[in-house]
């Protein structure tokens, strides 16, 4: 384990410059329209300094936070997922050639991204998405091309939201793996750890001092407090057998009465991977574009086959989402599909709470 | 990393109208090196692409040893298949595959083979019938149980009559409704399991059709003493990628496109009996 160093806030811009020198485009969080959004940034001044975030079931609001912090919030609706698994992207096109059709594969244009501000839950979700898109029989070349140049600068969570429950799922609030650099913020800067040779190589150029033991203790304290401040929790055991034996539990009907089947939860969930393939023929009929876009098991087209819906009722769709996430995910990926980020709770227009629904189903 | 998404072009080299809404296409990849490298097992499927319309999963219906071309038997069931129906010899479509797990034909050798199908022109198992008849000596009895809604839905009627004459082959057909001249049973394929002649200690069953029928057929076969592990079923879902990526083919913990579409019955029994998942 390399020795932790200390990166004062005043040197953060140097880190940005080192990344830029290495050819990375930097993506990080910004405060936008009452939420935290990830986008390209060049200057540390663009980070959400002095911003706090209050989240609860169906609610999310930016507020004033500690002036000298830029990571005093938990998360926004999206972070890593759309950067690797594009919300919509073309896969191929077909056109008329001289002797018949011609198929052109469309490969994405990619840049090396350095993403700063990913949370430990985002890293766990990234690991799951890697497993899904890259480790099967047919690795996805689009995801793979974007993943290749990725540099991960994680920021441990010192300010979880009321919706967060990563401590109970074991995914946070401190990052253990899957990062190149991990930061823990205090009032003056960050305790920095590296998790890869790339991360070390970049930090080596910043001439940082080793972190003092007091600085490391503060960081550890902050993370311990972050964990103990979490009020929501999900039973951490493998819920597969118990949920699959409760497919007729009356609580499914109860949730279905509230659920609008809008699909917000699947869109913001960092582990959901479903997508639909769509075809758009040009008006002149000369060519046709085949694309894919995010889809949701709450939507009409997900379970459509031969003119029929496999899951016509909202109850069946909510059950698909929850049993996939918390039960059958274990068979597919060797762990639960929930990393405790709380996004689906904050972004649900009617405030449906996965931790409460799971608890009710276990009763 | 190889881009797994784009299809390869193939040309229709023959077309047979099997019934009002079922047709068979004989296809060959435009690129001879793709055609010669192409190998599949009965029960596997291709994503068949109609330019400008989209893709549909269709199982392969030809013999895997036929290397110069391959067949798809297609029922007009939606927008894409309706468009493919309008194509003729010489027209091009896109193909990618084969995907998924096929029927366990090697382990069926030396055993009775019981085929149960319901619904219209069940191409996945017709491929097995042809496969077994062509390699007759490797298998013991061949029992074909076919159920249709109405007698006029029975495609390949002449084939069934021919198969019924083959040695060690029993063909039992049932229709829920019939026209005047119907020499076969009236009812469901489940009724037929009682009349099937097989050695339950040394048999393999392969079933495809609506999920309700699969469950009922598996139940009556196990009542006749066939172990559940010797029953294999082919399932359908809204497969959009065939690659294990898009998530539309999930049934419980299974991705039908890669873990199936053919499963040993115990793997999916709970999910099928449960229904609505
Ligand atoms: S299920 Fe909800 S809390 Fe769990 S990872 Fe997905 S969005 Fe986050
Ligand atoms: S089936 Fe539903 S819960 Fe599972 S990955 Fe797809 S959208 Fe998410
Ligand atoms: S068809 Fe896309 S995952 Fe199976």
């Amino acid at each position: 384990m390399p020795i932790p160093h200390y990166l004062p806030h005043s040197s953060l811009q140097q880190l940005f410059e080192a990344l830029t020198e290495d050819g990375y485009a930097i993506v990080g969080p910004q405060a936008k329209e009452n939420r935290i959004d990830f986008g390209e940034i060049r200057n540390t001044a663009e980070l959400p300094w002095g911003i706090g975030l209050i989240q609860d079931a169906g609610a999310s609001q930016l507020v004033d936070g500690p002036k000298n912090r830029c990571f005093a919030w938990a998360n926004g609706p999206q972070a890593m997922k759309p950067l690797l698994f594009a919300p919509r992207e073309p896969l191929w096109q077909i056109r008329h050639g001289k002797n018949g059709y011609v198929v052109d594969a469309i490969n994405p244009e990619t840049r090396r991204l350095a993403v700063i501000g990913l949370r430990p839950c985002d890293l766990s979700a990234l690991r799951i998405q890697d497993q899904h898109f890259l480790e099967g029989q047919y690795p996805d070349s689009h995801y793979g091309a974007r993943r290749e140049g990725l540099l991960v600068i994680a920021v441990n969570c010192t300010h979880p939201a009321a919706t967060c429950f990563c401590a109970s799922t074991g995914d946070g609030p401190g990052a253990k793996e899957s990062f190149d650099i991990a930061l823990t913020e205090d009032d003056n800067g960050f305790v920095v750890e590296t998790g890869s040779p790339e991360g070390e190589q970049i930090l080596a150029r910043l001439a940082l001092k080793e972190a003092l033991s007091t600085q490391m203790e503060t960081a550890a304290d902050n993370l311990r407090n972050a964990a103990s401040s979490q009020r929501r929790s999900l039973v951490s055991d493998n819920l597969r057998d118990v949920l699959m034996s409760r497919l007729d539990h009356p609580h499914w009907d109860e949730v279905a009465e509230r659920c609008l089947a809008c699909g917000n939860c699947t869109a913001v969930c960092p582990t959901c991977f479903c997508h639909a393939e769509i075809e758009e023929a040009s008006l002149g009929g000369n060519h046709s574009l085949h694309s894919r876009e995010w889809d949701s098991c709450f939507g009409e087209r997900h379970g459509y086959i031969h003119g029929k819906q496999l899951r016509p009722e909202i109850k069946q769709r909510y059950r698909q989402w929850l049993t996939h996430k918390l039960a059958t995910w274990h068979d597919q990926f060797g762990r639960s599909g929930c990393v405790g980020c709380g996004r689906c709770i904050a972004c649900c227009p009617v405030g449906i709470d996965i931790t409460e629904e799971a608890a009710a189903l276990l009763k | 990393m190889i881009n797994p998404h784009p299809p390869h072009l193939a040309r229709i080299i023959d077309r047979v109208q099997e019934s009002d809404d079922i047709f068979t296409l004989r296809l060959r990849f435009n690129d001879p090196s793709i055609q010669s490298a192409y190998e599949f097992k009965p029960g596997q499927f291709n994503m068949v692409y109609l330019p400008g319309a989209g893709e549909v999963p269709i199982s392969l219906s030809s013999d895997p040893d036929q290397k110069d071309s391959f067949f798809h038997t297609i029922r007009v069931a939606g927008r894409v298949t309706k468009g493919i129906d309008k194509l003729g010899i010489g027209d091009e479509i896109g193909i990618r595959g084969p995907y998924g797990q096929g029927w366990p034909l090697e382990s069926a050798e030396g055993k009775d083979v019981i085929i149960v199908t319901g619904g219209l022109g069940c191409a996945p198992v017709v491929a097995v019938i042809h496969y077994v008849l062509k390699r007759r000596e490797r298998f013991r009895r061949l029992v074909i149980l076919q159920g249709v809604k109405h007698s006029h839905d029975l495609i390949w009627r002449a084939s069934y009559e021919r198969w019924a004459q083959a040695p060690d082959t029993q063909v039992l057909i049932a229709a829920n409704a019939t026209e005047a001249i119907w020499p076969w049973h009236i009812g469901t394929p489940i009724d037929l399991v009682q009349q099937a002649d097989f050695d339950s200690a040394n048999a393999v069953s392969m079933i495809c059709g609506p999920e309700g029928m699969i469950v009922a057929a598996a139940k009556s076969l196990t009542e006749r003493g066939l172990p559940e592990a010797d029953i294999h079923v082919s399932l359908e879902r809204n497969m959009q990628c065939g690659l294990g990526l898009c998530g539309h083919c999930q049934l419980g913990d299974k991705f039908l496109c890669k873990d199936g579409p053919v499963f040993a019955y115990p793997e999916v029994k709970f999910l099928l009996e449960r229904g609505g998942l």
Side-chain angles (χ1 to χ4, degrees):
Chain A
M1 185 86 192
I3 305 152
H5 283 71
Y6 194 80
L7 173 74
H9 278 134
S10 55
S11 303
L12 189 56
Q13 187 63 34
Q14 278 179 34
L15 171 63
F16 275 36
E17 276 149 26
L19 295 169
T20 313
E21 264 171 36
D22 283 1
Y24 288 104
I26 303 168
V27 170
Q30 287 166 294
K32 267 195 190 153
E33 293 172 26
N34 214 18
R35 61 170 192 265
I36 298 288
D37 244 355
F38 277 70
E40 194 169 341
I41 52 179
R42 291 202 161 74
N43 197 293
T44 54
E46 293 170 80
L47 291 167
W49 291 96
I51 297 284
L53 174 66
I54 297 180
Q55 306 212 82
D56 214 326
S60 179
Q61 193 179 7
L62 293 186
V63 293
D64 288 340
K67 285 275 162 296
N68 44 2
R69 299 280 191 108
C70 52
F71 289 97
W73 43 270
N75 57 30
Q78 304 286 355
M80 192 73 251
K81 182 165 91 165
L83 298 171
L84 297 180
F85 167 34
R88 184 180 175 122
E89 67 181 326
L91 298 176
W92 78 75
Q93 70 160 11
I94 189 161
R95 58 188 161 86
H96 288 290
K98 275 201 207 82
N99 310 306
Y101 287 116
V102 180
V103 177
D104 307 307
I106 302 177
N107 292 309
E109 280 177 28
T110 57
R111 294 183 303 166
R112 296 174 72 197
L113 294 186
V115 184
I116 181 166
L118 294 177
R119 300 305 195 176
C121 59
D122 293 321
L123 304 186
S124 293
L126 171 64
R127 182 72 208 99
I128 290 174
Q129 293 257 312
D130 283 353
Q131 238 178 309
H132 180 69
F133 284 104
L134 299 178
E135 292 167 23
Q137 192 186 350
Y138 300 101
D140 183 68
S141 50
H142 288 60
Y143 183 98
R146 297 192 183 96
R147 180 72 174 91
E148 224 169 63
L150 182 72
L151 189 90
V152 172
I153 305 171
V155 181
N156 291 326
C157 266
T158 49
H159 290 69
T163 40
C164 292
F165 54 99
C166 62
S168 66
T169 61
D171 296 294
K176 292 175 213 93
E177 52 186 11
S178 308
F179 56 81
D180 296 288
I181 297 173
L183 311 174
T184 309
E185 191 177 34
D186 61 30
D187 284 341
N188 304 306
F190 307 91
V191 170
V192 192
E193 291 158 275
T194 52
S196 73
E198 291 76 26
E200 269 167 49
Q201 181 272 112
I202 287 166
L203 278 197
R205 286 158 35 208
L206 303 186
L208 301 179
K209 292 205 178 88
E210 284 183 15
L212 304 172
S213 60
T214 49
Q215 290 165 328
M216 287 175 9
E217 275 157 30
T218 309
D221 271 353
N222 285 342
L223 294 183
R224 256 193 306 277
N225 291 341
S228 61
S229 73
Q230 293 184 10
R231 288 290 159 264
R232 284 181 162 83
S233 69
L234 190 68
V235 211
S236 63
D237 320 357
N238 181 341
L239 297 178
R240 178 185 189 278
D241 293 339
V242 42
L243 282 177
M244 292 312 274
S245 68
R246 288 170 195 212
L247 297 172
D248 293 312
H249 196 289
H251 193 70
W252 299 115
D253 293 295
E254 202 280 316
V255 193
E257 272 174 33
R258 289 176 281 141
C259 176
L260 310 174
C262 67
N264 271 11
C265 49
T266 56
V268 298
C269 180
T271 69
C272 271
F273 50 73
C274 281
H275 54 272
E277 300 210 1
I278 46 176
E279 182 82 13
E280 294 158 291
S282 72
L283 289 179
N286 292 332
H287 63 91
S288 186
L289 189 66
H290 191 90
S291 307
R292 68 175 171 196
E293 64 182 13
W294 288 2
D295 199 9
S296 165
C297 56
F298 284 95
E300 288 294 317
R301 68 183 162 183
H302 197 280
Y304 183 84
I305 178 170
H306 302 329
K308 195 178 110 195
Q309 282 296 338
L310 291 167
R311 293 181 285 270
E313 297 168 33
I314 290 186
K315 161 182 153 178
Q316 293 165 317
R317 296 184 193 179
Y318 189 83
R319 192 172 64 191
Q320 166 64 23
W321 142 264
L322 199 91
T323 54
H324 185 212
K325 206 98 305 207
L326 302 181
T328 52
W329 208 284
H330 285 275
D331 300 294
Q332 295 175 343
F333 297 96
R335 63 156 292 164
S336 145
C338 177
V339 297
C341 73
R343 289 186 170 96
C344 58
I345 305 175
C347 295
C348 175
V350 296
I352 293 176
D353 179 339
I354 188 169
T355 63
E356 280 177 16
E357 311 317 329
L361 285 157
L362 296 182
K363 261 191 213 131
Chain B
M1 200 177 291
I2 300 163
N3 184 337
H5 300 289
H8 298 295
L9 292 168
R11 222 173 268 284
I12 299 173
I13 54 176
D14 201 1
R15 184 189 185 288
V16 176
Q17 191 72 37
E18 309 280 3
S19 77
D20 284 354
D21 59 357
I22 297 172
F23 58 96
T24 297
L25 299 181
R26 180 173 173 199
L27 295 154
R28 180 178 295 148
F29 286 108
N30 292 3
D31 180 340
S33 63
I34 293 175
Q35 181 60 50
S36 61
Y38 187 76
E39 283 182 1
F40 69 91
K41 286 173 100 186
Q44 286 192 299
F45 68 96
N46 280 328
M47 293 304 294
V48 178
Y49 172 59
L50 176 66
E55 294 182 299
V56 281
I58 310 263
S59 76
L60 283 136
S61 56
S62 46
D63 194 288
D65 285 345
Q66 181 169 355
K67 297 288 183 206
D68 68 333
S69 58
F70 55 96
F71 290 70
H72 279 300
T73 295
I74 303 174
R75 183 164 70 91
V76 178
R79 204 169 47 86
V80 177
T81 45
K82 203 175 194 168
I84 297 173
D85 185 32
K86 301 221 163 66
L87 301 179
I89 293 171
D91 286 338
E92 285 176 301
I93 59 176
I95 297 281
R96 52 189 185 91
Y99 296 126
Q101 311 300 319
W103 297 105
L105 288 165
E106 289 91 36
S107 60
E109 292 191 8
K111 299 183 179 160
D112 291 346
V113 177
I114 311 154
I115 307 276
V116 188
T117 83
L120 285 173
C122 223
V125 288
V126 171
V128 175
I129 297 174
H130 287 295
Y131 183 94
V132 170
L133 288 171
K134 210 176 149 197
R135 300 158 183 78
R136 198 64 198 83
E137 69 295 345
R138 296 197 208 160
F139 300 89
R140 299 204 324 173
R141 291 181 56 73
L142 174 63
V143 182
I144 303 169
L145 311 179
Q146 159 86 46
V148 288
K149 274 211 200 84
H150 192 277
S151 54
H152 60 57
D153 293 333
L154 181 66
I155 65 160
W156 298 302
R157 189 164 176 163
S159 303
Y160 282 100
E161 281 159 6
R162 199 158 22 86
W163 296 335
Q165 308 305 317
D168 291 329
T169 304
Q170 184 183 20
V171 176
L172 297 167
I173 303 178
N176 289 322
T178 65
E179 66 227 13
I181 309 163
W182 179 250
W184 314 96
H185 182 79
I186 298 175
T188 71
I190 313 308
D191 308 337
L192 303 176
V193 173
Q194 302 315 317
Q195 304 166 39
D197 181 9
F198 60 88
D199 172 8
S200 61
N202 199 16
V204 167
S205 177
M206 303 182 199
I207 314 179
C208 88
E211 288 178 12
M213 187 228 81
I214 290 178
V215 171
K219 186 161 172 278
S220 25
L221 284 165
T222 47
E223 279 164 13
R224 293 266 332 256
L226 188 66
E228 273 171 359
D230 292 327
I231 299 175
H232 299 270
V233 302
S234 176
L235 303 179
E236 284 189 315
R237 274 291 183 276
N238 174 8
M239 300 200 253
Q240 300 206 354
C241 72
L243 306 169
L245 298 174
C246 79
H248 283 73
C249 65
Q250 293 178 91
L251 169 62
D253 60 321
K254 306 288 190 289
F255 287 87
L256 260 57
C257 70
K258 61 172 185 182
D259 304 324
V262 172
F263 291 96
Y265 192 57
E267 293 179 84
V268 289
K269 178 184 176 193
F270 165 77
L271 300 165
L272 292 183
E273 286 185 348
R274 184 66 195 44
L277 293 177

